[in-house]
Amino acid sequence: MERAWERAQWTSLLYSQARFTLETSITDKNWGSDMTENKNSAAGNPLRTAWGRARLGTRTVPAMMPAIPLGILLAALIAAAAALAGFAPQQPLLGAAIVAALMALPMCALAWAFLVDRDSLEGAASRPEESVESRWYDNAAAGAFHDLLIFSGLGTAVLFLTPLEIEGSVGLLAVSVVGMLSAGIRYIVNRRRG
Amino acid sequence: MENTLPELRREHGWSQQKLADALGVSRQTVISIEKGRFDPSLPLAFRLASLFGCTIEDIFTPGS
């Protein structure tokens, strides 16, 4: 239950970045009417499930139903692109299969995040942008941005002043890892502070 | 900011989860507000006041 709640909160934060404007424009018109019967509230809605539901036309289906095939399709497309780009030229089929296998789970998760109706998720708050988790995320993102500025600035200075040379892809990978680690650690620290 | 939210909530016999559901936020948000670690947004403060039938000043006071 705790893990389902954590998952729902993360999904809320990620998804709310895309739907923030639309949701606030709709829900803010209703909050003053009857707060005790908030129809968007996390409790009391029997249709809410741990993995949520997705809208397909006029009906809804479990979100995993379209997310899994779509994720596998996306992974196959990426694998095909990798094979065409010359990844593992000695054994392109094996290389493509490995890429597809590695990308399947992240692509299914990505497809689920885009397809799921957040209001159908168990434990999801109807106004995640006003929750404390949103503040934690904002603080972590702002801190990570400053960390990246410092890291990339110092790294650039080191590369200018020393004979050290690194490939662009390695440098970008380092920047990505630093950004993700910084944001993740800062979020955890914020959460522990409450 | 200091607040009287725990007392108001108990007077109404509400759990933190019920209050969170009524406000449309997470339970952790209610916990953080009650502990004074999270200052709610103005719309959320107005919803709290509306929910308890009082003014924002009745709930929140500037900290020392």
Side-chain angles (χ1 to χ4, degrees), chain A residues 24-185:
Chain A
T24 50
S25 66
I26 294 170
T27 56
D28 282 358
K29 292 172 184 171
N30 303 325
W31 68 261
S33 55
D34 187 351
M35 291 304 304
T36 59
E37 294 182 6
N38 186 349
K39 292 183 173 55
N40 291 325
S41 69
N45 188 344
L47 296 177
R48 286 173 180 261
T49 61
W51 293 100
R53 300 180 68 82
R55 291 182 192 282
L56 286 181
T58 55
R59 66 195 184 99
T60 64
V61 296
M64 276 301 178
M65 196 181 288
I68 290 174
L70 182 59
I72 291 171
L73 177 65
L74 288 172
L77 288 174
I78 292 171
L84 289 174
F87 179 75
Q90 307 296 329
Q91 293 179 303
L93 280 178
L94 179 63
I98 291 171
V99 171
L102 291 174
M103 295 302 291
L105 192 60
M107 287 300 108
C108 287
L110 187 66
W112 174 81
F114 274 104
L115 290 172
V116 70
D117 177 5
R118 206 180 53 75
D119 290 337
S120 68
L121 278 174
E122 190 178 275
S126 59
R127 293 182 176 84
E129 70 281 359
E130 290 183 358
S131 292
V132 71
E133 289 87 351
S134 180
R135 178 77 57 85
W136 296 341
Y137 177 82
D138 289 344
N139 288 342
F145 171 71
H146 292 122
D147 288 344
L148 281 178
L149 280 182
I150 293 168
F151 177 77
S152 56
L154 288 175
T156 305
V158 168
L159 290 177
F160 264 119
L161 297 173
T162 65
L164 185 67
E165 288 186 4
I166 59 170
E167 284 186 29
S169 57
V170 174
L172 286 173
L173 179 65
V175 168
S176 300
V177 169
V178 167
M180 282 189 251
L181 279 177
S182 174
I185 292 169

Side-chain angles (χ1 to χ4, degrees), chain B residues 2-35:
Chain B
E2 293 169 357
N3 66 80
T4 58
L5 193 56
E7 292 79 16
L8 281 169
R9 183 172 58 76
R10 287 190 202 103
E11 280 174 17
H12 285 72
W14 285 17
S15 66
Q16 289 172 331
Q17 186 63 61
K18 185 177 179 181
L19 178 59
D21 290 341
L23 293 168
V25 297
S26 65
R27 178 170 167 259
Q28 183 61 50
T29 303
V30 173
I31 294 170
S32 296
I33 293 173
E34 288 188 353
K35 288 183 177 175

Side-chain angles (χ1 to χ4, degrees), chain A residues 5-15 137 183-184 187 191:
Chain A
W5 168 254
E6 285 286 326
R7 187 172 61 242
Q9 287 307 308
W10 270 105
T11 307
S12 298
L13 289 171
L14 291 170
Y15 203 67
Y137 177 82
Y187 185 90
R191 187 173 65 179

